[in-house]
Amino acid sequence: MPFDAAPHSVKTDCLICPVQTCLARRGDADQASAFGDMLAPRLAVMPGQGALYHSGDRLRSIYSVRGGCIKASTVDSEGNEHIRGFYLAGDLVGLDALGGGVCLSTAAAVVPSQVCVAPLADLRQLMLRRPELAQRVMEQTSRELALSLALSGDYSAEQRMAAFLLYMRDRTAASSVIRLPMAQRDIGNYLRLATETVCRSLKSLQRRGIVSLSERAVSLVDEPALRELLPLKKKDQPAYLDWSVNS
């Protein structure tokens, strides 16, 4: 979604926001208004220019991605980065810290991005008044856990790559062309695969006529064949695990 990344902070009106998959827009107009009234001004975040929060920080806000892509990562004792997740428009960033109140990772922009800021204390009060909002937070947490299990299980590199591509396909749902904001090395880091393995898996899918590759984009030529590679078929998933924009 195009947006102006120049303003550092701007107040958000959820009723006119084009992001249909965010927490506010998954309910009625009253819920969207209540959510918008609770938000602090939204922020523009740029790659390499700081983070929304760092690992070990106290959790003060939950962030709803309005545009761009945010990655959550940790760094081990040897200084190696481990990417824990990518967050796209409509996603909530920081849910993994809700229980303990301490951020478990560092959240930073992959590309120029915007986030809406939900102060944690205000969000908790709103969820008490509107239980349906709390239910949707639980559903997104469940989807994130299901995605983590799908990508980190005892699966082949090709199965992990297929799951990742279809996750991206279901999130964007605009066309058969999946535009990837992250580099192949970051995809490999996230999937626990070498960059060379990511490249080989994509080229193998292309040779078999399942996808077509271009710079930072993958076109799905045979989506049913790609879905057949998944260990868990879409028809076997509970409805709340559906990431598509219409869910």
Side-chain angles (χ1 to χ4, degrees), residues 4-200:
D4 181 8
H8 184 261
S9 61
V10 180
K11 188 64 177 175
T12 298
D13 185 344
C14 292
L15 290 173
I16 62 173
C17 179
V19 180
Q20 299 294 316
T21 54
C22 83
L23 190 64
R25 299 301 293 276
R26 286 177 176 261
D28 57 22
D30 287 343
Q31 177 178 297
S33 293
F35 192 82
D37 291 343
M38 175 267 301
L39 292 176
R42 67 175 184 261
L43 299 176
V45 287
M46 305 297 288
Q49 297 184 16
L52 293 175
Y53 54 77
H54 293 87
S55 179
D57 288 351
R58 294 295 302 177
L59 180 68
R60 302 186 184 282
S61 297
I62 294 293
Y63 301 89
S64 179
V65 182
R66 186 172 185 268
C69 178
I70 303 293
K71 71 175 179 180
S73 63
T74 57
V75 177
D76 64 24
S77 59
E78 298 180 351
N80 300 309
E81 181 186 45
H82 299 278
I83 297 175
R84 305 302 182 182
F86 294 109
Y87 298 89
L88 305 172
D91 287 341
L92 296 176
V93 185
L95 291 180
D96 56 347
L98 275 179
V102 176
C103 299
L104 304 180
S105 59
T106 296
V110 175
V111 293
S113 305
Q114 279 187 355
V115 296
C116 298
V117 183
L120 184 58
D122 295 336
L123 178 60
R124 282 177 168 158
Q125 288 298 315
L126 184 58
M127 288 192 295
L128 287 174
R129 297 197 307 270
R130 303 190 71 98
E132 69 276 13
L133 195 67
Q135 175 65 26
R136 290 188 172 89
V137 170
M138 291 177 61
E139 289 173 359
Q140 179 152 339
T141 305
S142 294
R143 288 194 295 269
E144 288 187 17
L145 178 58
L147 177 65
S148 177
L149 293 173
L151 298 178
S152 62
D154 187 18
Y155 306 130
S156 68
E158 195 170 74
Q159 286 176 316
R160 294 185 194 189
M161 197 69 235
F164 179 76
L165 290 176
L166 288 168
Y167 158 71
M168 295 295 293
R169 168 66 176 86
D170 289 346
R171 292 306 315 283
T172 56
S175 70
S176 61
V177 179
I178 307 167
R179 304 202 178 278
L180 301 173
M182 65 290 291
Q184 285 191 11
R185 67 177 179 276
D186 283 346
I187 295 173
N189 187 311
Y190 178 49
L191 298 180
R192 306 298 181 261
L193 301 171
T195 304
E196 295 79 7
T197 304
V198 171
C199 185
R200 283 197 302 270

